[in-house]
Amino acid sequence: MKSLLFSLLFLAVSPIIYAQNSFSGQVTNAETGEPVFSANVYFPELSKGDMTDIDGNFRVENIPNGKFKIVISSVGFATYSNELDFPETSSLNITLEKSAIEMEEVIVSTPFHQLQSENVMRVERENVADLNRKGAISLSDGLTQIAGVESLTTGVGIGKPVIRGLSSNRVLVYTQGVRLENQQYGDEHGLGISSKGIESVEVIKGPASLLYGSDAIGGVLYLNPERYAAANETNAEADVNYFSNTQGYQGSVMAKTSGEKLKFLARGSYAAHSDYETGDGERVTNTRFNETDFKAGIGYQDAKFKTDLRYNFNKSNIGIPEEIGEQSTDKDPLLPYQEIDNHILSLENKLYFNNSSLDFKIGYQYNNRKEFEEHLHEEEHSEEEHAEEEEHLEEEEGADHPALEMHLETLNYNLQYNLPRTGRFETILGVQGMHQTNTNYGEEILIPDAITTDFGVFATTHVHFDKWDFQGGLRFDTRSIDSEAVEPHEEEHAEEEPEGEEHVEELEHAHEGGEIAAVNNSYKSINGALGAKYIISERLSARLNLATGFRAPNLSELTSNGSHHGTNRYEVGDQNLDNEQNFQVDLSLEWRNKHFEAFVNGFHNTINDYIYLEPTGELIEENPVFEYTQNNAELYGGEIGVHIHPHPLDWLHLESSFETVTGKRNNGEYLPLIPANSITNTFRLEFDNSDEKIYSKYAFVRLKNVFDQNNVSAFETRTGGYGLLGAGFGGEFAINTTEMRIGVSANNILNKDYISHLSRLKSDGISNIGRNISVSVRWFL
């Protein structure tokens, strides 16, 4: 009997265990019939594929039963996309149409993994390698090349993405498939991610709370890690970058190998930069920084199961600039500076059933943020004694004992079930959550010890017709924040009772603020989204998206009561702040053929209970006092762009884009830190002749004109406009069986002395970076 039951059970599960299919075919040129070499054949839902050989042939193994989208792309051809049903399909011969339009890629940040041309929501996608070859010093610097994205900077080492005028906790960053948590509430806190090991970046402009919960009210920056090697291949890479302005350098080495099912990759990187030099030839003291980064991954995949374990360690030492003083090219930060260790561990598991799948992601992050400051306690000594004492204090107090140390631990999870497709409908049900603890170990306390817990549940559906596509969904979220009370440090030192002014100075330096009451708050929100895409004609399409989003106030806004040296102000929080709740309308029109593209994006974003800082006119500890408060606000604007690549000059590209955003409160006053309007024009040449010694050659000239920013808040000053000229060239060539890629680029060629409206050094009259020439060399093994 047991034997019979075991046999029946084996027969029942064997179709699941052994349901795997092989898929093969050939890719050819539709005009000539010749095979297309090195075309990328990819199943985005399965995260697997193959590259065509010299005869255009490909083969993909271990495909489960069900319907899966296939995407085939190659430089110089229009991207092919179709849905295949397995096991009914075992082979397919595909022809690609010639096109000068850049090949499309699958958008990962949206739920149904479609090409941008098929997506209901417009998402900007850029390869990080393309951003870097234009001379970007850091990832946040490179993001500013995307229309509608700017960066809130403190020198060149600290930059935060700004999407259509919103930043910090209003823009959510995802990396390795999990949300990045690294005390991003602070304007003086950088992105904390190295561009090395990041393959591409996707930008959702506007509320994405339906998919991502709280803090995605302004948009999402989705960082896709580099892929594993193709099946049964081993790859290695080494690359070096040099930057003339900061006399900086960056090096990275990578190795990856894949069998039929098991995959592995590892990458190590290091970067170091001196103080940057302005257009006037002065170096901005203590804008130096260095960064160590390590990324690794191990994956396994068969016909029914996929798992991907990724780890990223990033260590940054970043100077905090205060003035233009010492002129030096040293690369070790001076006091004050930040030392940040960030660990990200993520695990993705995916189970494939017949026409459905279950995706479970879990992430753990440990962020250790330290800030080292100058010791303010001084006594009357001789100059020699004073110098010796300062040196000793820098070694003992500055280097070994951070004034501020916060440990942030975050556990987040995301469970999604892709239901079986019914007719034209695709539906996803999901549950997301986060548990986060913040613990202080330093003398200074910016935000108290606290526990934050998130939980959300959502459903979203996509329906496809011949000319129409619709997508919509609903979501419910709850967040609880529980923090401990903080007492002024005078009470902790009351028993010592030292006398004199030096004791007062010591205590002021220690607590940097007053009492902070405990917080026990909870926030709830229901949000929805509805979008439609309509194909007006073969070349013209339109998108309309309506979405709501929310953001719960962060710990800094609720509990601040002290001086923030990075911002040079005394901030006071409000524990009675409510959710920010917004509603955005986004309209997009796109026109394209083989040699011309144009787009117009317009948006209107209404935010109820917008949280902002407002000066009170008082001074505490010689710092101006700012209080967190709320008022309704609105932001509106958009982007316009064209891309011309005339026939038969397919190697010639003319690109132009204009972006504008205006932010106001209900009382008519303008919001702070809103990017100025700008227009960017690029003249680009690209040649991809594989039969020449140097192939994939390129050259470009770019001019970015930033207009005057006269629409400023009550405590800002206007910022004058400026123009920045950039250029670059590069190419690839073969060395035996290896490949070398070399690029040279120059930014701010005319060495313009200017100040960006989004520079936090603007209030000190410190200019942005001057001319910078970068050289990059990548060696593929």
Side-chain angles (χ1 to χ4, degrees), residues 240-482:
V240 178
N241 304 82
Y242 175 76
F243 305 90
S244 66
N245 186 286
T246 61
Q247 298 186 19
Y249 52 85
Q250 183 176 44
S252 180
V253 293
M254 177 274 293
K256 57 184 177 181
T257 185
S258 296
E260 194 61 50
K261 297 181 179 180
L262 191 63
K263 317 167 190 178
F264 174 79
L265 67 81
R267 177 184 288 274
S269 308
Y270 180 76
H273 294 264
S274 303
D275 298 338
Y276 78 83
E277 190 174 73
T278 68
D280 278 350
E282 290 185 301
R283 292 198 177 275
V284 181
T285 307
N286 210 25
T287 53
R288 62 197 71 173
F289 66 97
N290 58 69
E291 179 183 54
T292 302
D293 189 82
F294 175 75
K295 293 181 174 74
I298 183 169
Y300 176 86
Q301 184 173 10
D302 60 18
K304 301 301 295 182
F305 174 70
K306 170 194 168 185
T307 185
D308 187 6
L309 177 66
R310 301 263 184 165
Y311 171 70
N312 180 204
F313 168 70
N314 185 277
K315 183 180 184 66
S316 301
N317 293 294
I318 307 173
I320 300 176
E322 297 179 323
E323 60 182 2
I324 295 180
E326 172 193 348
Q327 297 294 289
S328 169
T329 56
D330 290 342
K331 293 180 171 57
D332 292 327
L334 304 170
L335 296 174
Y337 71 91
Q338 302 175 2
E339 180 184 293
I340 306 163
D341 291 349
N342 202 44
H343 302 262
I344 305 173
L345 184 67
S346 64
L347 176 65
E348 177 183 5
N349 293 304
K350 196 161 188 176
L351 294 172
Y352 299 99
F353 311 111
N354 287 334
N355 296 317
S356 66
S357 62
L358 184 68
D359 191 355
F360 178 61
K361 297 177 183 176
I362 186 169
Y364 170 78
Q365 295 172 65
Y366 175 73
N367 178 265
N368 183 4
R369 176 177 295 274
K370 299 178 182 178
E371 293 189 7
F372 298 83
E373 299 174 0
E374 296 177 356
H375 191 75
L376 298 183
H377 172 55
E378 297 181 1
E379 297 179 11
E380 294 184 2
H381 295 294
S382 68
E383 291 186 4
E384 292 183 1
E385 291 175 332
H386 182 68
E388 290 178 1
E389 182 182 4
E390 280 198 340
E391 183 179 350
H392 174 72
L393 288 172
E394 283 188 7
E395 292 177 356
E396 296 298 324
E397 298 291 336
D400 297 334
H401 303 286
L404 180 144
E405 181 175 358
M406 295 187 292
H407 294 184
L408 186 71
E409 293 187 80
T410 306
L411 179 69
N412 46 37
Y413 59 88
N414 184 357
L415 177 65
Q416 291 186 187
Y417 179 55
N418 298 272
L419 275 68
R421 303 183 188 188
T422 55
R424 300 178 182 270
F425 288 85
E426 297 178 73
T427 302
I428 296 176
L429 304 178
V431 175
Q432 292 176 340
M434 179 181 76
H435 181 78
Q436 184 177 86
T437 61
N438 183 74
T439 309
N440 287 276
Y441 291 91
E443 290 180 336
E444 292 184 14
I445 296 180
L446 292 183
I447 58 175
D449 294 355
I451 296 176
T452 302
T453 305
D454 282 4
F455 177 78
V457 58
F458 70 92
T460 181
T461 296
H462 178 272
V463 57
H464 171 73
F465 298 97
D466 291 338
K467 288 184 175 294
W468 285 95
D469 281 273
F470 296 96
Q471 185 174 312
L474 286 172
R475 180 182 179 112
F476 170 77
D477 281 278
T478 179
R479 167 173 287 187
S480 65
I481 301 177
D482 297 292

Side-chain angles (χ1 to χ4, degrees), residues 9-25:
L9 179 61
F10 177 80
L11 290 173
V13 302
S14 60
I16 298 178
I17 297 174
Y18 296 106
Q20 55 187 21
N21 306 283
S22 296
F23 175 63
S24 61

Side-chain angles (χ1 to χ4, degrees), residues 484-498:
E484 297 181 6
V486 177
E487 299 293 335
H489 282 213
E490 290 95 333
E491 297 180 13
E492 297 180 13
H493 297 275
E495 296 179 2
E496 302 176 13
E497 297 183 353

